[in-house]
Amino acid sequence: MSKTKYIFVTGGVTSSLGKGIIAASLAKLLQERGYTVSIQKLDPYINIDPGTLNPYEHGECFVTDDGAETDLDLGHYERFLNTPTSQANNVTTGRIYQAVINKERKGEFLGKTVQVIPHITDEIKNRIQILGNTGKYDIVITEIGGTVGDIESLPYIEAVRQLKWELGNHNALVIHLTLIPYLAAAGELKTKPTQHSVKMLMQSGVAPDILVCRTEHHLSNNIKRKLALFCNVQEKSIIESIDAETIYDVPNLMLKEKLDIVVLEKLKLSIDNKPALLKWNDFLKKHKNPKHIIEIGLIGKYVELHDAYKSITEAFIHAGAVNEVKVKVRWIHSESLTEANVPKKLQGLHGILVAPGFGGRGIEGKIDAVRFARENNIPFLGICLGMQMAVIEFARNVLNLKDANSTEMNENTPHPVIDLMEEQKEITSKGGTMRLGAWDCSLKKDSKTAAIYQKELISERHRHRYEYNNDYLEQLTNAGMIATGINPKTGLVEVIELKNHPWFIGVQYHPEYKSTVLNPHPLFLDFVKACLQKSLIKR
Ligand code: GLN
């Protein structure tokens, strides 16, 4: 048996309690104590991955270096731990069933009836242990998506039951995250939903070792005693998780509640090296005490759901702290923008970010926003579709190529300045077929981007089918839009800059995926810095 220890995080009472943040915070504390930790998310839905989901359904789709399209919680794991995740860190029911069915077709279960137990549960257990079996991690934390009691979570809970027993005492434990609601009329915190949720878990044969209780008010010792008594959990293993001002406070809150100590005791691991969280707290201090406020417009078409742009807003927080500014985001729906109302709607912004996206809805508004940023010297960052819109805007309004477009929006455009990548032309199926994951990009010496990165060869993560059309390279360059980042193998343009503009950069890749608390992304750092400068000039 591998020596990796396993921690399972389940959720009860309601969804959206922040299992991902609790898992990431605990992992952070264990990491600070010197353990190597990875976090994995098991998602009970049937999609193979969230890549085909509308962001309104599930928020942002996070992309890893190895090109996995994953749940946005993986973004939190990376931002907290400052270590990359991979395909192995996110598993869905669809992927589990697909693997089992493929094996069945190959004849691997010849003669046997293929069943949820043991075949599906075996596959789940294999996936849970993939990270541990690499030998790289002392501890693997596995977050089970959904809420205990959901029909689709059942095989996962069963797999946890089996694995916990197989791994034996002190090698695995279960943390159950629940809600302790406050009834204002009664002036009381209520434990009953948690009792029921634990009962439900126990009906599946899983007894939680630790309860983490989300609450708006502090838990009294009485409440803790009651929970311990009814839920079969030691009193010191009842951990309060009070609402926090920012998710980045949670590691400190968990440290105060001794969650890491309780975990290490139960896993019989040594409890040396108290987490100092020095750099983390330095970040928090700056984040909470900004010297300036700037306002950046985020132009997108999923702005009603802020989670659709999670990594971007978190990257602003990281970059804001370093620059000691608070980045206020003005959420602007691209469909609401017209050439006529842009000056009003974008008035007073210190920077404009045009967001990634797919399809034609709202793109004319994005193009209008780019034009406003270009003509008014407002710092501009275009990400993926945002970069493509910058190219289209420049082609239309500077090169005078009327109706220039991306073939994604208009297949018959006379000027396809953005076109489907060659290798995409034969592809018909939608799942996992984009240009995904980390690709190299060489930056032009003396470009603004190379100065920002302070190097000439970078690697960034991608998720797109369409691309800058090199047939227009000469024309665009001669008019002042320079291609400053190129994939060294394929010649694909990855970065564009404007010559005569204080800060105008478009990137085909997604820098936001690589920004972490301890390693804020250089492009975001410099963009925020440029926006700050803009705000100071205006005063
Ligand atoms: N829809 C564009 C493409 O596929 C941009 C994708 C994105 O913004 N992630 O190329």
Side-chain angles (χ1 to χ4, degrees), residues 204-237:
S204 305
V206 175
D209 300 280
I210 296 170
L211 288 184
V212 176
C213 305
R214 275 298 298 273
T215 174
E216 290 170 24
H217 298 272
H218 288 294
L219 302 183
S220 64
N221 285 340
N222 256 345
I223 292 265
K224 286 193 173 186
R225 256 196 301 278
K226 193 167 169 188
L227 282 165
L229 180 67
F230 281 94
C231 300
N232 242 4
V233 173
Q234 290 168 316
E235 213 177 303
K236 68 172 181 186
S237 305

Side-chain angles (χ1 to χ4, degrees), residues 401-539:
L401 301 176
K402 291 293 163 228
D403 299 322
N405 215 331
S406 161
T407 49
E408 180 178 8
M409 321 306 165
N410 176 6
E411 271 187 71
N412 305 314
T413 166
H415 303 293
V417 289
I418 303 293
D419 198 7
L420 197 59
M421 278 179 280
E422 211 41 53
E423 72 261 27
Q424 288 286 330
K425 292 192 173 150
E426 302 302 313
I427 295 173
T428 50
S429 77
K430 291 276 183 262
T433 56
M434 283 188 252
R435 180 174 180 242
L436 291 166
W439 295 89
D440 281 347
C441 168
S442 43
L443 301 175
K444 270 218 171 80
K445 234 195 174 109
D446 306 327
S447 64
K448 185 188 256 326
T449 315
I452 290 171
Y453 277 90
Q454 291 179 9
K455 53 183 170 182
E456 280 164 35
L457 186 68
I458 58 167
S459 167
E460 292 280 4
R461 300 180 192 174
H462 297 68
R463 182 170 186 249
H464 63 123
R465 291 185 205 284
Y466 294 82
E467 177 59 49
Y468 179 107
N469 183 347
N470 270 315
D471 291 350
Y472 293 86
L473 178 73
E474 212 181 301
Q475 258 179 296
L476 288 162
T477 309
N478 290 342
M481 175 173 272
I482 33 182
T484 54
I486 313 274
N487 177 291
K489 287 215 177 87
T490 58
L492 292 179
V493 171
E494 307 276 32
V495 187
I496 54 99
E497 288 177 25
L498 282 189
K499 239 190 195 154
N500 300 316
H501 191 287
W503 211 103
F504 190 107
I505 295 178
V507 288
Q508 185 57 75
Y509 51 79
H510 292 261
E512 71 275 22
Y513 293 145
K514 283 180 68 166
S515 185
T516 70
V517 167
L518 298 191
N519 208 5
H521 195 285
L523 266 183
F524 277 86
L525 282 178
D526 210 68
F527 178 52
V528 167
K529 191 167 151 202
C531 300
L532 172 63
Q533 277 157 6
K534 175 94 187 157
S535 79
L536 298 176
I537 295 166
K538 280 196 116 185
R539 276 194 189 167

